[in-house]
Coordinates of all heavy atoms in Angstrom, one line a residue:
K320 N 22.2 -22.6 22.2 CA 22.3 -24.1 22.5 C 21.4 -24.9 21.5 O 21.7 -26.0 21.1 CB 21.9 -24.4 23.9 CG 20.4 -24.2 24.1 CD 20.0 -24.4 25.6 CE 18.5 -24.3 25.8 NZ 18.0 -24.3 27.1
S321 N 20.3 -24.2 21.1 CA 19.4 -24.9 20.2 C 19.9 -25.2 18.8 O 19.4 -26.0 18.0 CB 18.0 -24.1 20.1 OG 17.5 -24.1 21.4
K322 N 20.9 -24.3 18.4 CA 21.5 -24.5 17.1 C 22.1 -25.9 16.9 O 22.1 -26.5 15.9 CB 22.6 -23.4 16.8 CG 22.1 -22.1 16.6 CD 23.3 -21.2 16.2 CE 23.0 -19.7 16.1 NZ 24.2 -18.9 15.8
K323 N 22.6 -26.4 18.1 CA 23.3 -27.8 18.0 C 22.2 -28.9 18.3 O 22.4 -29.9 17.8 CB 24.3 -27.8 19.2 CG 25.5 -26.8 19.1 CD 26.4 -27.2 18.0 CE 27.6 -26.3 17.9 NZ 28.5 -26.5 16.8
I324 N 21.2 -28.5 19.0 CA 20.1 -29.5 19.3 C 19.2 -29.7 18.1 O 18.9 -30.9 17.8 CB 19.3 -29.0 20.5 CG1 20.1 -28.8 21.7 CG2 18.1 -30.0 20.8 CD1 19.4 -28.1 22.8
A325 N 18.8 -28.7 17.4 CA 17.9 -28.8 16.3 C 18.5 -28.1 15.0 O 17.9 -27.2 14.5 CB 16.5 -28.2 16.6
P326 N 19.7 -28.6 14.5 CA 20.4 -27.8 13.4 C 19.6 -27.9 12.1 O 19.6 -26.9 11.3 CB 21.7 -28.5 13.3 CG 21.4 -29.9 13.8 CD 20.5 -29.7 14.9
V327 N 18.8 -29.0 11.9 CA 18.0 -29.1 10.7 C 16.9 -28.0 10.6 O 16.8 -27.3 9.6 CB 17.4 -30.5 10.6 CG1 16.3 -30.6 9.5 CG2 18.5 -31.5 10.3
I328 N 16.3 -27.8 11.7 CA 15.2 -26.8 11.7 C 15.8 -25.4 11.6 O 15.2 -24.5 10.9 CB 14.3 -27.0 13.0 CG1 13.8 -28.3 13.1 CG2 13.2 -26.0 12.9 CD1 13.0 -28.6 14.4
Y329 N 16.9 -25.2 12.2 CA 17.6 -23.9 12.1 C 18.0 -23.6 10.6 O 17.7 -22.5 10.1 CB 18.9 -23.8 13.0 CG 19.6 -22.6 12.9 CD1 19.0 -21.3 13.1 CD2 21.1 -22.6 12.8 CE1 19.7 -20.2 13.1 CE2 21.8 -21.4 12.8 CZ 21.1 -20.2 12.9 OH 21.8 -19.0 13.0
L330 N 18.6 -24.6 9.9 CA 18.9 -24.4 8.5 C 17.7 -24.1 7.6 O 17.8 -23.3 6.8 CB 19.6 -25.7 8.0 CG 21.0 -26.0 8.5 CD1 21.4 -27.4 8.2 CD2 22.0 -25.0 7.9
K331 N 16.6 -24.8 7.9 CA 15.3 -24.6 7.1 C 14.8 -23.2 7.4 O 14.3 -22.5 6.4 CB 14.2 -25.6 7.6 CG 14.5 -26.9 7.0 CD 13.3 -27.9 7.4 CE 13.5 -29.3 6.7 NZ 13.3 -29.2 5.3
G332 N 15.0 -22.6 8.5 CA 14.6 -21.2 8.9 C 15.4 -20.3 7.9 O 14.9 -19.3 7.3
Y333 N 16.7 -20.5 7.9 CA 17.6 -19.7 7.1 C 17.2 -19.8 5.6 O 17.2 -18.8 4.9 CB 19.1 -20.2 7.2 CG 20.0 -19.3 7.9 CD1 20.8 -19.7 8.9 CD2 20.2 -17.9 7.5 CE1 21.7 -18.8 9.6 CE2 21.0 -17.1 8.1 CZ 21.8 -17.5 9.2 OH 22.6 -16.7 9.8
H334 N 16.9 -21.0 5.2 CA 16.5 -21.2 3.8 C 15.3 -20.3 3.4 O 15.2 -19.7 2.4 CB 16.2 -22.7 3.5 CG 15.6 -22.9 2.2 ND1 16.1 -22.6 1.0 CD2 14.4 -23.4 1.9 CE1 15.4 -23.0 0.0 NE2 14.2 -23.4 0.5
Y335 N 14.2 -20.4 4.2 CA 13.0 -19.6 3.9 C 13.2 -18.1 4.1 O 12.5 -17.3 3.3 CB 11.9 -20.2 4.7 CG 11.4 -21.5 4.2 CD1 11.7 -22.6 5.0 CD2 10.9 -21.7 3.0 CE1 11.4 -23.9 4.5 CE2 10.6 -23.0 2.5 CZ 10.9 -24.1 3.2 OH 10.7 -25.3 2.7
L336 N 14.1 -17.7 5.0 CA 14.5 -16.3 5.1 C 15.1 -15.9 3.7 O 14.7 -14.8 3.2 CB 15.4 -16.1 6.2 CG 15.9 -14.7 6.5 CD1 14.7 -13.7 6.7 CD2 16.8 -14.6 7.7
L337 N 16.0 -16.6 3.3 CA 16.7 -16.3 2.0 C 15.7 -16.4 0.8 O 15.8 -15.5 -0.1 CB 17.8 -17.3 1.8 CG 19.1 -16.9 2.6 CD1 20.0 -18.2 2.6 CD2 19.9 -15.8 2.0
D338 N 14.9 -17.3 0.8 CA 13.9 -17.6 -0.3 C 13.0 -16.4 -0.4 O 12.7 -15.9 -1.5 CB 13.1 -18.8 0.0 CG 13.0 -19.7 -1.3 OD1 13.8 -19.6 -2.1 OD2 11.9 -20.3 -1.4
T339 N 12.5 -15.9 0.7 CA 11.5 -14.7 0.7 C 12.2 -13.4 0.3 O 11.7 -12.7 -0.5 CB 10.9 -14.5 2.0 OG1 11.8 -14.6 3.1 CG2 9.9 -15.7 2.3
L340 N 13.5 -13.3 0.6 CA 14.3 -12.1 0.2 C 14.5 -12.2 -1.3 O 14.5 -11.1 -1.9 CB 15.6 -12.1 1.0 CG 15.5 -11.6 2.4 CD1 16.8 -11.8 3.1 CD2 15.1 -10.2 2.6
F341 N 14.7 -13.4 -1.8 CA 14.8 -13.6 -3.2 C 13.6 -13.2 -3.9 O 13.6 -12.4 -5.0 CB 15.2 -15.0 -3.5 CG 15.2 -15.4 -5.0 CD1 16.1 -14.8 -5.9 CD2 14.2 -16.2 -5.5 CE1 16.0 -15.2 -7.2 CE2 14.2 -16.6 -6.8 CZ 15.1 -16.1 -7.7
Y342 N 12.5 -13.6 -3.5 CA 11.2 -13.4 -4.1 C 10.8 -11.8 -4.0 O 10.1 -11.3 -4.8 CB 10.1 -14.2 -3.6 CG 10.1 -15.7 -4.1 CD1 9.9 -16.7 -3.2 CD2 10.3 -15.9 -5.5 CE1 10.0 -18.0 -3.7 CE2 10.4 -17.2 -5.9 CZ 10.2 -18.3 -5.0 OH 10.2 -19.6 -5.5
L343 N 11.2 -11.3 -2.9 CA 11.0 -9.8 -2.7 C 12.0 -9.0 -3.5 O 11.9 -7.8 -3.5 CB 11.1 -9.4 -1.2 CG 9.9 -9.9 -0.3 CD1 10.4 -9.8 1.1 CD2 8.7 -9.2 -0.6
N344 N 13.0 -9.7 -4.1 CA 14.0 -9.0 -4.9 C 14.8 -8.0 -4.0 O 15.2 -6.9 -4.5 CB 13.5 -8.4 -6.1 CG 14.6 -8.1 -7.2 OD1 15.6 -8.9 -7.3 ND2 14.4 -7.1 -8.0
H345 N 15.0 -8.3 -2.7 CA 15.8 -7.4 -1.9 C 17.3 -7.9 -1.8 O 17.7 -8.6 -1.0 CB 15.2 -7.4 -0.5 CG 15.5 -6.3 0.4 ND1 16.7 -5.8 0.5 CD2 14.6 -5.4 1.1 CE1 16.8 -4.7 1.3 NE2 15.5 -4.4 1.6
Y346 N 18.0 -7.4 -2.8 CA 19.3 -7.9 -3.1 C 20.3 -7.7 -1.9 O 21.0 -8.7 -1.6 CB 19.9 -7.2 -4.4 CG 21.3 -7.7 -4.7 CD1 21.5 -8.9 -5.3 CD2 22.4 -6.9 -4.5 CE1 22.7 -9.4 -5.6 CE2 23.7 -7.4 -4.8 CZ 23.9 -8.6 -5.4 OH 25.1 -9.0 -5.7
S347 N 20.3 -6.5 -1.4 CA 21.4 -6.2 -0.3 C 21.2 -7.0 0.9 O 22.1 -7.6 1.5 CB 21.3 -4.7 0.0 OG 20.1 -4.3 0.5
K348 N 19.9 -7.1 1.3 CA 19.5 -8.0 2.4 C 19.8 -9.5 2.2 O 20.3 -10.2 3.1 CB 18.1 -7.8 2.8 CG 17.9 -7.5 4.3 CD 16.6 -7.0 4.6 CE 16.5 -6.0 5.8 NZ 15.2 -5.4 6.0
F349 N 19.5 -9.9 1.0 CA 19.8 -11.3 0.6 C 21.2 -11.6 0.6 O 21.6 -12.7 1.2 CB 19.2 -11.5 -0.9 CG 19.5 -12.9 -1.4 CD1 18.7 -13.9 -1.2 CD2 20.7 -13.1 -2.2 CE1 18.9 -15.2 -1.8 CE2 21.0 -14.4 -2.6 CZ 20.1 -15.4 -2.4
I350 N 22.1 -10.7 0.1 CA 23.5 -11.0 0.2 C 24.0 -11.0 1.6 O 24.8 -11.8 2.0 CB 24.3 -9.9 -0.7 CG1 23.9 -10.0 -2.1 CG2 25.7 -9.9 -0.4 CD1 24.3 -11.3 -2.8
H351 N 23.6 -10.1 2.4 CA 23.9 -10.1 3.8 C 23.6 -11.4 4.5 O 24.5 -11.9 5.2 CB 23.2 -8.8 4.5 CG 23.5 -8.8 6.0 ND1 24.7 -8.4 6.6 CD2 22.7 -9.1 7.0 CE1 24.6 -8.5 7.8 NE2 23.3 -8.9 8.2
V352 N 22.4 -11.9 4.4 CA 22.0 -13.1 5.0 C 22.7 -14.3 4.5 O 23.1 -15.2 5.3 CB 20.4 -13.3 4.9 CG1 20.0 -14.6 5.5 CG2 19.7 -12.1 5.7
L353 N 22.9 -14.3 3.2 CA 23.7 -15.4 2.5 C 25.1 -15.5 3.1 O 25.5 -16.6 3.5 CB 23.6 -15.3 1.1 CG 24.3 -16.4 0.3 CD1 23.7 -17.8 0.6 CD2 24.3 -16.1 -1.2
K354 N 25.7 -14.4 3.2 CA 27.2 -14.4 3.7 C 27.1 -14.8 5.2 O 28.1 -15.5 5.6 CB 27.7 -12.9 3.6 CG 28.2 -12.5 2.3 CD 28.8 -11.1 2.3 CE 29.3 -10.8 0.8 NZ 29.8 -9.4 0.8

């Protein structure tokens, strides 16, 4: 339910998850999360 209530914060969480996977150079996990 919170995805609809606070979508901006949810998106920011996704962004930092992807960002850290990029800096860790974990390609397979990065591609999975991005998809």
Side-chain angles (χ1 to χ4, degrees):
K320 68 181 182 187
S321 300
K322 288 185 187 181
K323 299 288 184 184
I324 300 164
V327 167
I328 305 174
Y329 181 47
L330 285 168
K331 283 183 179 287
Y333 248 128
H334 169 63
Y335 290 109
L336 178 57
L337 284 162
D338 222 31
T339 50
L340 287 169
F341 170 67
Y342 286 134
L343 290 168
N344 201 30
H345 203 308
Y346 179 76
S347 59
K348 227 167 212 174
F349 175 88
I350 293 299
H351 172 73
V352 175
L353 180 57
K354 280 182 180 176

